Amino acid sequence: YGQTGIGKTHLMQAVGHRVLNSPGMSVSYVCLETLLNEYVESLKTSTTMEFRNKSRSTDVLLVDDIQFLAGKDSLQEEFFHTFNVLYDAHKQIIMTSDMPPREMPGLEPRLVSRFEWGLVTEIESPDFETRLAILQYKHSLNKIRIPDDLLVFIADNIKSNVRSLEGALTRV
């Protein structure tokens, strides 16, 4: 978990790409909004078994923005069972959020408990060296020459998140 623009989705997708390079492994990525839309559609079209099988038949399930599960009781029930099926089968579940599970209002206690079975880690803002490395890498992709001291200036002054850092580089 961590603030917006810090790289949670990027990190999660990197894990997914690594899994895809492993022979015989399957990975499914979904943002919670898409999961919700697919769930509602499966209810409308009486295809809930297909919906369940899609998430439950993967080796690694990646769910982005899990905090939006809060307050959606029916989907929480469905996700609870999906979580249990995958966990019991020794599969991996990776979720991102902007807050730790314990702080998500409207999330069922049994889900909070299960989410805390795993490793709950805060992704913090990058330090100066990391910010500078990001800027240098992004700059290397451009054909425009920017002096190194300007990259250092940006890295030293933009500390909030990676998106703000990239935005500053784009504006320059």
Side-chain angles (χ1 to χ4, degrees):
Y1 70 93
Q3 66 180 345
T4 299
I6 210 70
K8 300 178 302 290
T9 300
H10 184 83
L11 181 60
M12 184 171 60
Q13 289 183 350
V15 170
H17 285 286
R18 179 64 182 249
V19 171
L20 287 175
N21 290 329
S22 303
M25 295 289 288
S26 63
V27 63
S28 295
Y29 168 85
V30 66
C31 66
L32 195 72
E33 180 184 3
T34 301
L35 188 68
L36 175 61
N37 291 336
E38 289 175 357
Y39 178 63
V40 169
E41 185 63 24
S42 76
L43 292 174
K44 287 180 184 176
T45 59
S46 300
T47 56
T48 52
M49 286 308 296
E50 288 88 348
F51 172 81
R52 288 177 183 146
N53 290 336
K54 182 179 175 184
S55 296
R56 296 178 187 184
S57 62
T58 189
D59 294 306
V60 180
L61 177 62
L62 308 172
V63 184
D64 209 359
D65 292 324
I66 197 73
Q67 73 271 8
F68 296 123
L69 187 60
K72 295 171 180 62
D73 296 341
S74 183
L75 185 56
Q76 284 189 46
E77 178 75 21
E78 191 65 42
F79 193 77
F80 171 79
H81 295 294
T82 295
F83 187 100
N84 287 340
V85 166
L86 292 172
Y87 184 83
D88 290 344
H90 305 287
K91 304 300 182 177
Q92 295 295 309
I93 306 164
I94 300 173
M95 299 172 280
T96 67
S97 154
D98 58 6
M99 65 188 76
R102 187 170 298 253
E103 293 178 15
M104 291 182 201
L107 191 61
E108 291 183 16
R110 64 185 182 164
L111 281 174
V112 171
S113 172
R114 276 160 178 75
F115 292 175
E116 289 181 342
W117 274 350
L119 177 64
V120 178
T121 304
E122 182 176 10
I123 307 294
E124 297 179 342
S125 297
D127 60 15
F128 172 78
E129 289 80 13
T130 305
R131 293 191 306 270
L132 183 58
I134 291 168
L135 287 170
Q136 289 169 335
Y137 172 74
K138 292 291 185 178
H139 177 251
S140 73
L141 301 176
N142 288 326
K143 296 179 182 181
I144 300 169
R145 174 79 180 114
I146 298 175
D148 288 340
D149 61 336
L150 185 51
L151 295 178
V152 169
F153 177 81
I154 295 169
D156 196 38
N157 287 282
I158 306 293
K159 301 175 183 176
S160 58
N161 64 54
V162 177
R163 285 192 191 132
S164 295
L165 193 64
E166 291 176 343
L169 181 61
T170 298
R171 286 187 296 279
V172 168

